[in-house]
Amino acid sequence: MAGRGDPPEGTPEGFPGGGEDEYRSVVFDEAFVRAARLQEFSAQERMGEHARAVRSRPSAWEGRSSSRQAALLVLLILLAFGTAIYLGVRNPYQPPVDQRAEPLRTTVVPLAPPGPVPGGDPARLFAHSPAAEYRTGAAGINLPVAGRTSHFAESQVVTALGIAKDYLVASSLDPDVLSGATVRPVRLLLDPDQLEQFDRSVESPADDGRHALAGWLVRFDPRQAVVTDPATRVQGILRFEETGPDTLDVTADHTYTYALRPAVQGAGPVAAASLFTVHRQVHFRFDRDDLRMHRAELLISTVEAGPQACGADTTGSLKPLLAGARVPDTGGGPAVTDPYATGRPAAPSLCGALAPSAQPSL
């Protein structure tokens, strides 16, 4: 019969004596058993660093503080938005409004002489004409005293006046332009929106109020006359005004007096020179892109030029009457016009009579 410490079946087969097992060497003393006592953690200790499942309710002071912060944030946003709108409206240097240039409107009025065209030496002709005290060349195109406007700084006004002068010099005084050798100096100064109209005026000039080449520049028929004295006499005025928040207008009103000789001369003495007078009124418009790109938009151009025959086609090159030439008596039909009288409305007629006072008194 098995003892109390033995298993019912007795000692397992293969184990000697039944009392020597593999755990016999492991001894748990009393101190170890006491230290191994199990310790059960509370529910709060078991949660450790985990967040609470139920959020605590903020106090009344915390609620009022959050409301104040939200209201302050909204107020700051509204203030910033209002400031941006105010500065956008009040800023005089806003980005330019995108708008296309208008087509140029042109009027060319030939002025017929009352009698034979006076001829002689250029210096003598100038000395006995109303142009005797005029300056020569670009020096005759004076810039007015510039000042700022409501939306344009003084420097921008000066730029606009400078571009207008550059255009007048290129289109009225450049020898190659006057002779018809080129139009490039004029074309480079035009707003791109007007280039198509300008090119058509050069290639196919027409008396339709839009495509008269004489409205863009001064050109003498190279088969008929050449400029003999490069020192063309010039006098006139430039005015400026702001016509909108993004547009600045410049008006030029100048008289140009040229000394001409026949293009073809015989083997004899040099042919006498004669004077030819052109009164040009040009209305320019500049937007901010034009000022930045150094270009101009032409709105209106009115030209009175003589001596010419009333029936001459002056939509392209001007066809001056030279020394000794005359036209039949006009019979008092055309209005008498003095091209030296600047600051007046241009003649509305298709032809005018050159005032006797506008010719040299030899």
Side-chain angles (χ1 to χ4, degrees):
M1 187 173 177
R4 178 175 296 181
D6 298 330
E9 297 83 1
T11 302
E13 185 178 356
F15 286 91
E20 296 180 4
D21 53 27
E22 58 180 316
Y23 299 105
R24 179 171 299 177
S25 61
V26 180
V27 178
F28 298 99
D29 58 11
E30 185 176 357
F32 176 82
V33 172
R34 290 197 196 96
R37 195 172 53 234
L38 294 178
Q39 180 178 0
E40 184 177 358
F41 292 94
S42 66
Q44 184 173 0
E45 289 173 332
R46 287 198 300 271
M47 289 184 65
E49 298 297 326
H50 292 287
R52 297 179 179 178
V54 179
R55 187 174 300 170
S56 60
R57 194 171 194 178
S59 64
W61 169 253
E62 292 176 345
R64 287 194 297 271
S65 177
S66 299
S67 300
R68 287 196 187 96
Q69 292 178 357
L72 181 59
L73 179 60
V74 172
L75 181 60
L76 289 176
I77 294 174
L78 292 176
L79 181 61
F81 186 70
T83 303
I85 294 178
Y86 175 79
L87 293 177
V89 172
R90 298 291 297 174
N91 184 10
Y93 306 107
Q94 301 178 51
V97 177
D98 186 14
Q99 57 183 5
R100 291 186 59 83
E102 300 177 14
L104 169 64
R105 291 173 287 167
T106 61
T107 302
V108 181
V109 181
L111 302 178
V117 177
D121 178 72
R124 185 166 179 264
L125 292 173
F126 279 126
H128 291 81
S129 76
E133 303 300 325
Y134 286 9
R135 294 186 177 184
T136 59
I141 305 176
N142 298 316
L143 301 184
V145 177
R148 64 167 291 116
T149 65
S150 298
H151 298 87
F152 288 89
E154 179 180 342
S155 60
Q156 293 175 304
V157 174
V158 172
T159 298
L161 292 169
I163 298 172
K165 178 174 180 176
D166 289 345
Y167 186 90
L168 295 175
V169 171
S171 62
S172 303
L173 300 174
D174 189 307
D176 291 333
V177 173
L178 296 176
S179 66
T182 183
V183 297
R184 180 175 174 79
V186 179
R187 195 178 190 276
L188 289 175
L189 292 170
L190 289 175
D191 188 293
D193 293 338
Q194 293 188 317
L195 292 180
E196 182 179 354
Q197 182 188 8
F198 174 78
D199 292 340
R200 181 177 167 185
S201 301
V202 173
E203 298 167 2
S204 304
D207 186 16
D208 58 1
R210 287 287 189 271
H211 301 93
L213 180 60
W216 299 93
L217 53 84
V218 177
R219 172 192 284 182
F220 298 109
D221 189 338
R223 300 165 298 180
Q224 188 171 349
V226 294
V227 178
T228 186
D229 188 339
T232 300
R233 306 309 195 263
V234 185
Q235 180 167 290
I237 53 176
L238 283 169
R239 301 186 184 92
F240 67 90
E241 66 173 334
E242 180 183 308
T243 54
D246 297 295
T247 54
L248 188 66
D249 284 19
V250 174
T251 303
D253 189 349
H254 292 80
T255 296
Y256 306 83
T257 304
Y258 306 87
L260 305 178
R261 293 188 191 272
V264 179
Q265 301 189 40
V270 177
S274 60
L275 298 186
F276 189 87
T277 306
V278 177
H279 178 208
R280 296 186 75 190
Q281 293 176 321
V282 184
H283 186 175
F284 299 92
R285 174 158 293 171
F286 301 92
D287 59 27
R288 300 183 191 279
D289 279 343
D290 292 331
L291 298 178
R292 181 170 53 86
M293 301 301 294
H294 199 83
R295 66 195 187 196
E297 173 190 347
L298 275 63
L299 293 183
I300 303 172
S301 177
T302 302
V303 177
E304 299 169 333
Q308 292 185 103
C310 282
D313 180 10
T314 57
T315 56
S317 299
L318 300 175
K319 297 176 174 58
L321 293 173
L322 302 176
R326 63 184 305 161
V327 295
D329 187 4
T330 58
V336 176
T337 303
D338 183 0
Y340 289 95
T342 58
R344 59 172 177 79
S349 60
L350 298 178
C351 187
L354 188 64
S357 61
Q359 299 202 80
S361 56
L362 300 177

